[in-house]
Amino acid sequence: MIKQILEKVDQSAELTPDEIRALLGISDPEELQALYDCAYRVKEREVGKVAYFRGIIECSNICVKDCYYCGIRKSNQNVERFQMDEEEIIREALWSYENEYGSAVIQAGERKDPAFIDMIERVVKTVKEKTNGKLGITLSLGEQTEETYRRWREAGAHRYLLRIETTSPELYAKLHPEDHDLEERKHCLALLKKTGWQVGTGVMMGLPGQTSEDLVNDILFMKEFDVDMIGMGPYIPHRDTPMGKEIPPYTDEQKQTALTLGLKMIAVTRIVLKDINIAAATALQALEHTGREMGLKCGANVIMPNVTETEFRPSYTLYDNKPCTDENSSMCRGCLTARITGIGETIGFNEWGDSPHYAKRNAHG
Ligand code: SAM
Ligand code: SF4
């Protein structure tokens, strides 16, 4: 059965929801390897064997929201809050440019106050000016108004990441306080499209109470919504959160299970959505040292090395045992480059690496 489905994939045929479910249900090691190899062939055919770097700048851990899974949620009193100043963010973006990363991602907890919105707008404009428009800028700053999305887009950023987290209304309600709304999240994704962004979304896998049916629906949602990029990763508990408190630290076996689920989701998403960009999330590396490279071998084509100053890194702890919190940016660049070329891929230095899907979406109007 699995063999036939993978043959269908090799012939570029569309899969049915039942076939997607069957792929996500694979547990036999040989079939798993066949799935990963098949996803890699799709990746090679659709987007090439090139990994793109996006230097991620985690510029603030101040957040107005209170997601039950996240280590920097508003109610966590055990976090030292920080907000980088403008010069700092600009310096790190320029570091990414000088190190030929092609793009930078500015990510933070959610803030909607005018001072923050103005500051991000100025930062984006300045980075664009200082790099002659050459550094691609992705933002990942949560739910905002249409006007804010428009202003940041006009300032020069062009990609936005807003994970839907899960498309199951019941599960979403369990993961968030009452005033966090799945429909609002979807509305924001629609606003991002309307205001001309290359839009990225994604989910967490391995959430307590999540079923394989939920994951099938997540993939179908991402396909239907016609997203350009995906950033998804395993859920990892954080001890100071309402959800993490309930869960003892993962055993090695649980880590392995979470990693396999993460890799399977990447592979099946590549197979179903084909020509999009998929990031190998840092959370994969928290489960296994080479987790992100494994993600590339299963169909991901984007890596987001941390370029945040080492002093701020420990304060941006979304989950326990987040990797590289004690390394500096140059160490990350060196070790990642060696590991990626070691698996036979090239790195798209100095390129934006936009998803071919976005170009096609625009060409079709
Ligand atoms: N505040 C913005 C937002 O939520 O869209 C951007 C920053 S937020 C920290 C980025 C992502 O971190 C979220 O979309 C969520 O999926 C992920 N995240 C938070 N807590 C996590 C955890 N415990 N395990 C894995 N991923 C987590
Ligand atoms: Fe805030 Fe994002 Fe964490 Fe939710 S996931 S608490 S919005 S930083």
Side-chain angles (χ1 to χ4, degrees):
M1 157 96 167
I2 297 297
K3 198 163 168 266
Q4 279 90 336
I5 301 176
L6 297 181
E7 276 169 13
K8 233 180 123 175
V9 174
D10 281 330
Q11 288 151 14
S12 302
E14 297 289 323
L15 298 188
T16 65
D18 280 342
E19 289 168 334
I20 296 172
R21 190 173 304 111
L23 293 184
L24 282 177
I26 295 178
S27 57
D28 174 76
E30 270 181 31
E31 287 186 340
L32 261 183
Q33 193 55 51
L35 169 71
Y36 298 157
D37 292 347
C38 178
Y40 199 70
R41 288 194 293 277
V42 176
K43 162 174 155 173
E44 224 179 325
R45 184 179 78 212
E46 302 283 344
V47 296
K49 272 169 60 172
V50 187
Y52 297 101
F53 282 180
R54 324 267 191 238
I56 185 160
I57 305 161
E58 297 164 337
C59 72
S60 159
N61 65 359
I62 300 169
C63 188
V64 296
K65 298 189 92 181
D66 228 0
C67 309
Y68 293 146
Y69 42 83
C70 178
I72 60 170
R73 63 194 294 270
K74 173 176 72 175
S75 300
N76 185 4
Q77 308 284 329
N78 296 337
V79 184
E80 199 184 320
R81 302 287 165 176
F82 74 91
Q83 166 70 63
M84 278 181 199
D85 60 31
E86 278 172 61
E87 288 67 37
E88 187 80 50
I89 307 174
I90 293 165
R91 190 163 54 239
E92 292 179 12
L94 294 182
W95 188 94
S96 302
Y97 178 63
E98 282 150 17
N99 282 274
E100 308 178 317
Y101 278 13
S103 300
V105 182
I106 301 176
Q107 188 181 78
E110 194 170 296
R111 277 182 60 184
K112 298 175 192 302
D113 51 285
F116 181 75
I117 292 166
D118 293 351
M119 187 273 285
I120 294 293
E121 187 179 41
R122 283 194 303 272
V123 165
V124 172
K125 277 188 182 154
T126 308
V127 172
K128 278 288 173 185
E129 273 163 27
K130 286 190 186 264
T131 62
N132 291 321
K134 286 193 185 136
L135 187 74
I137 302 181
T138 305
L139 299 182
S140 175
L141 301 169
E143 294 169 23
Q144 302 289 342
T145 62
E146 180 172 343
E147 195 211 333
T148 302
Y149 286 145
R150 199 178 298 280
R151 276 176 57 190
W152 289 347
R153 178 76 185 90
E154 280 166 8
H158 79 292
R159 288 187 286 240
Y160 204 101
L161 285 175
L162 183 71
R163 285 187 182 175
I164 192 83
E165 315 294 2
T166 173
T167 54
S168 154
E170 296 77 30
L171 187 56
Y172 195 92
K174 280 192 202 142
L175 305 179
H176 300 98
E178 250 175 40
D179 59 349
H180 294 31
D181 183 4
L182 176 61
E183 289 310 311
E184 179 58 24
R185 202 92 182 155
K186 287 186 187 164
H187 177 61
C188 284
L189 285 170
L191 288 179
L192 285 165
K193 248 193 197 168
K194 182 177 170 196
T195 47
W197 294 82
Q198 216 176 113
V199 182
T201 191
V203 295
M204 281 181 286
M205 295 82 88
L207 291 160
Q210 190 177 42
T211 63
S212 51
E213 202 53 37
D214 291 335
L215 294 174
V216 174
N217 289 335
D218 290 343
I219 293 181
L220 293 174
F221 167 83
M222 295 190 279
K223 182 162 176 63
E224 249 161 60
F225 195 81
D226 209 13
V227 292
D228 305 303
M229 348 176 253
I230 295 199
M232 56 187 177
Y235 161 67
I236 303 178
H238 185 293
R239 62 190 172 283
D240 294 328
T241 60
M243 270 169 63
K245 259 188 211 135
E246 315 274 319
I247 307 171
Y250 280 173
T251 60
D252 285 349
E253 202 184 329
Q254 284 170 311
K255 281 189 192 168
Q256 200 52 46
T257 308
L259 177 69
T260 305
L261 180 62
L263 297 176
K264 263 199 289 191
M265 272 295 277
I266 289 179
V268 179
T269 304
R270 168 63 67 201
I271 283 172
V272 177
L273 277 85
K274 299 188 179 82
D275 57 356
I276 51 158
N277 280 346
I278 303 182
T282 310
L284 290 171
Q285 197 191 352
L287 297 169
E288 160 74 49
H289 185 58
T290 56
R292 287 188 296 187
E293 294 78 339
M294 292 166 96
L296 294 179
K297 292 295 281 178
C298 294
N301 67 329
V302 171
I303 295 252
M304 305 205 287
N306 200 331
V307 295
T308 309
E309 281 286 325
T310 314
E311 65 167 298
F312 294 117
R313 292 191 189 190
S315 303
Y316 199 85
T317 307
L318 310 178
Y319 43 81
D320 292 334
N321 300 321
K322 191 166 175 244
C324 299
T325 50
D326 56 356
E327 288 181 9
N328 64 36
S329 309
S330 315
M331 286 158 83
C332 280
R333 184 191 197 275
C335 97
L336 259 176
T337 304
R339 295 205 311 233
I340 291 169
T341 47
I343 61 166
E345 300 223 338
T346 51
I347 297 166
F349 282 122
N350 291 317
E351 291 178 56
W352 281 9
D354 286 340
S355 80
H357 187 83
Y358 178 67
K360 289 180 207 160
R361 185 158 74 78
N362 277 351
H364 296 148

